[in-house]
Amino acid sequence: MQKQAGKYALLISIRPPDVVPGTAVVTVFVEQGRVSQIGGRPVYFRSGDKGAPTRDILTATAANRFEGDLWLMDSGSSSVELTIDGPDGHQQIIVPIMAVATALRDMPEGTGWGLAAMGLLLVIMLVTIIGASNADGIFAPSQTSVQTLRRRRLAGMGIGLVVVVLILVGWRSWWTSEAEIYRNEQLYRPTPIQATVAGSGANRQLSIQIDTTGFGANRQRHPLLSYVLPDHGKLMHTFLVRMPGLDAFAHLHPDRRDTLRYEAVLPELPGGKYLLYADVVYRSGFAETMTDTVELPEMPAFTAMNATVPRTPSAIRPMPDPDDSWLVAKPMGVRANAVNMPHLDNDMVVCGKPGASTRLADGATMFWMDKPKQVLEAGQLYTLKFAVADAQGKAAPLEPYLGMSGHAAIIRSDGSVYIHLHPVGTYSMAAEGSLVSRLADTSRTFRYPDASRFRDSIDAYVTKLKTLPEADKNRLLMASMPAGMTHPMKINNMVQFPYAFPRAGHYRIWVQVKRNGRVLTGVFDTQVNEPLL
């Protein structure tokens, strides 16, 4: 998250644990303002402010850098509340995070044998103590023969052993039950969907059906599907990317037909196998990406629209949703498992640093500015900065696109990494708004409203947005954002995104901006290596 709070400009990185309970690693970079102390605490949507723990103070590890660990004790929609204090005032920031278990951990073999030996020793000592207490603690040695004491000691040890075994069996049964609950209920599994395409040619239609057949009794797989919130005015953001070259891309916003079904008209994409990523946000602030693959039939006489052969607006079939966008570009040209093979289009140098450029469909050019180096490092926090110049080389002012200065999607060449980025970070506007309102709520528990009424009101709101002029729609969207999320750029032809690539590999970045009422998409490739030790 990159956030402006009062006089403070902050860049915040939170790495949630992959096993819950676990600790989240919080790092805060102070880019502007005088900060003397930062405190943090986790706040869950279910329990709100009243059920949240006290704050932990982050440690100042360097100039303008604070770090700390926060315990996340339960799964679900959560947030980290940061309290900033200093000469420039007191501020609070809510950072939405998803506290979900995504991994199973096996105990190291050596640790297991060591604990088993210690446990066996404790059992022997406990049984011995019970036997001694049963004999020596009841009868004085002068009143009882040695044989009687021995028998009572052995009887006590036998009874103690039986009791200890029963305790261990009960504990084992409890532990197995808890492990099964963790594996089957707490361990996160994405909500499955089934994507299909009906029709042919210009009449192709994408249908996304949410599959609830496997939910069972798993509370983590019972998302409240009637309580989907609009994010940037859309109930679902869907990205389509053709494999293996990642050469065809679409950003669509399907309409909700019923609780489980969403539909969108497909643009002029070439046929082939596509990866599909569908983003939704629930009332609890829980943001989820549902994935599938879908086969698109080929369109007759398809003409590729790409960066080198721009098409005029009259040549593009109008879409029912003017915010939908698509692009066909050159393939990445690398194998999915290729490593250490630079393939970035280094056709220019910007401000003395490696850069890249791409031609947009309207003849303008988008530049990747201030790229720190040709090959990036996994886990390193970067600010990805892009600027647009018109055909004459002059700065091209950008218009708001869905209430923000731009959007970006980043996908690894094998499709295993995906993120929908905003200028403020990797979280959603709807998630932050939901969690901020929950924090202001004084009730200990949250009660959901009537599902039908809530769904109908949301559908009416989304429908109203579609009828508004572009300026009014963006004004309404920006007014509904929590404070500090609009993130206006100081230079009106530039957009930037904070991001840390999670794994090494080849990545393609689609940067989307809007000018002259048209959504434009720039394409950039980059290589990411593991950091050097």
Side-chain angles (χ1 to χ4, degrees):
M1 171 187 280
Q2 196 164 29
K3 195 86 165 182
Q4 185 76 36
K7 295 182 179 180
Y8 302 115
L10 305 172
L11 184 59
I12 304 162
S13 172
I14 299 180
R15 286 186 289 131
D18 57 4
V19 173
V20 179
T23 56
V25 180
V26 182
T27 305
V28 180
F29 300 90
V30 181
E31 299 178 315
Q32 178 183 319
R34 295 169 296 169
V35 175
S36 57
Q37 179 177 282
I38 298 180
R41 63 169 183 161
V43 181
Y44 284 89
F45 181 83
R46 289 193 301 271
S47 56
D49 178 59
K50 299 298 182 182
T54 57
R55 293 177 178 84
D56 291 329
I57 303 302
L58 275 61
T59 303
T61 58
N64 298 327
R65 175 171 174 165
F66 296 79
E67 292 184 352
D69 295 337
L70 296 180
W71 273 97
L72 299 179
M73 301 302 297
D74 196 9
S75 297
S77 179
S78 179
S79 61
V80 169
E81 180 193 54
L82 295 176
T83 304
I84 300 95
D85 290 289
D88 289 329
H90 173 84
Q91 295 290 335
Q92 286 185 333
I93 291 178
I94 293 294
V95 185
I97 59 172
M98 305 303 109
V100 291
T102 58
L104 292 169
R105 289 284 177 261
D106 294 326
M107 182 180 295
E109 186 175 353
T111 303
W113 282 110
L115 291 176
M118 293 174 61
L120 180 61
L121 178 61
L122 290 174
V123 168
I124 295 173
M125 292 173 63
L126 181 59
V127 169
T128 302
I129 291 172
I130 294 174
S133 299
N134 187 58
D136 303 337
I138 298 178
F139 300 99
S142 61
Q143 299 173 344
T144 310
S145 65
V146 175
Q147 292 80 4
T148 301
L149 288 174
R150 183 179 294 112
R151 286 195 300 270
R152 286 191 170 275
R153 185 177 295 112
L154 292 175
M157 293 175 65
I159 294 173
L161 181 61
V162 171
V163 171
V164 170
V165 169
L166 290 175
I167 292 174
L168 291 176
V169 170
W171 174 84
R172 176 65 178 176
S173 177
W174 169 82
W175 180 260
T176 302
S177 175
E178 288 296 309
E180 287 300 312
I181 291 174
Y182 180 90
R183 184 188 306 274
N184 297 327
E185 297 184 23
Q186 191 174 354
L187 190 65
Y188 172 73
R189 293 178 178 85
T191 301
I193 57 174
Q194 295 177 355
T196 56
V197 175
S200 60
N203 298 317
R204 298 178 304 173
Q205 183 161 296
L206 174 68
S207 177
I208 299 174
Q209 182 80 24
I210 299 177
D211 183 6
T212 62
T213 57
F215 280 16
N218 189 333
R219 62 185 178 91
Q220 294 296 337
R221 302 188 70 188
H222 269 288
L224 300 172
L225 297 173
S226 294
Y227 298 96
V228 176
L229 292 177
D231 190 26
H232 300 286
K234 309 294 182 181
L235 286 176
M236 179 180 285
H237 292 262
T238 299
F239 291 87
L240 289 166
V241 182
R242 188 168 74 161
M243 295 295 285
L246 278 66
D247 56 344
F249 165 87
H251 178 186
L252 309 178
H253 308 96
D255 294 320
R256 179 164 60 182
R257 301 307 180 193
D258 56 48
T259 304
L260 302 180
R261 186 165 57 96
Y262 293 75
E263 292 181 350
V265 175
L266 281 172
E268 297 176 351
L269 292 171
K273 180 181 179 180
Y274 283 75
L275 300 177
L276 183 146
Y277 305 90
D279 296 334
V280 295
V281 182
Y282 303 108
R283 176 63 183 87
S284 64
F286 192 90
E288 183 174 36
T289 297
M290 300 174 285
T291 63
D292 197 11
T293 58
V294 62
E295 193 78 25
L296 267 60
E298 192 65 68
M299 291 187 64
F302 174 81
T303 302
M305 180 183 69
N306 54 47
T308 58
V309 187
R311 298 169 68 187
T312 62
S314 60
I316 301 175
R317 173 169 58 92
M319 296 292 292
D321 190 330
D323 295 316
D324 287 357
S325 56
W326 71 99
L327 182 76
V328 178
K330 295 178 181 178
M332 286 190 71
V334 298
R335 298 187 305 275
N337 60 348
V339 293
N340 298 321
M341 295 174 60
H343 59 283
L344 181 68
D345 180 18
N346 292 309
D347 60 350
M348 62 171 297
V349 173
V350 181
C351 299
K353 299 181 180 180
S357 65
T358 183
R359 181 67 61 86
L360 302 179
D362 68 343
T365 302
M366 180 179 289
F367 303 96
W368 186 345
M369 307 285 290
D370 297 339
K371 191 167 187 283
K373 48 188 175 181
Q374 180 175 335
V375 179
L376 305 182
E377 291 184 358
Q380 178 71 35
L381 189 58
Y382 295 105
T383 298
L384 310 178
K385 188 182 301 183
F386 304 91
V388 178
D390 61 20
Q392 288 72 42
K394 298 180 180 179
L398 303 178
E399 302 165 2
Y401 176 34
L402 295 175
M404 306 202 84
S405 55
H407 294 251
I410 299 179
I411 298 180
R412 195 172 183 265
S413 59
D414 61 356
S416 63
V417 175
Y418 154 83
I419 187 67
H420 177 190
L421 271 175
H422 304 116
V424 289
T426 61
Y427 67 100
S428 77
M429 175 189 74
E432 184 186 13
S434 180
L435 289 161
V436 167
S437 65
R438 180 66 182 99
L439 191 63
D441 189 354
T442 58
S443 60
R444 182 69 179 258
T445 58
F446 178 81
R447 296 185 181 277
Y448 282 91
D450 178 77
S452 298
R453 291 183 180 179
F454 182 87
R455 185 177 62 247
D456 292 343
S457 66
I458 293 297
D459 288 339
Y461 170 76
V462 173
T463 302
K464 175 186 175 182
L465 283 177
K466 289 186 177 181
T467 64
L468 294 177
E470 188 69 13
D472 293 342
K473 179 180 69 175
N474 283 301
R475 192 178 301 112
L476 183 59
L477 289 175
M478 288 186 283
S480 65
M481 295 181 186
M485 192 170 183
T486 52
H487 204 289
M489 297 298 300
K490 297 179 181 179
I491 304 176
N492 64 358
N493 75 318
M494 189 176 294
V495 61
Q496 63 184 36
F497 309 90
Y499 187 61
F501 294 88
R503 298 172 52 197
H506 295 305
Y507 288 82
R508 174 155 282 193
I509 305 173
W510 288 270
V511 182
Q512 296 197 287
V513 296
K514 197 169 191 178
R515 61 186 300 261
N516 299 324
R518 184 177 177 184
V519 180
L520 303 171
T521 304
V523 185
F524 299 89
D525 295 339
T526 192
Q527 178 182 334
V528 178
N529 285 352
E530 294 294 345
L532 298 176
L533 299 179

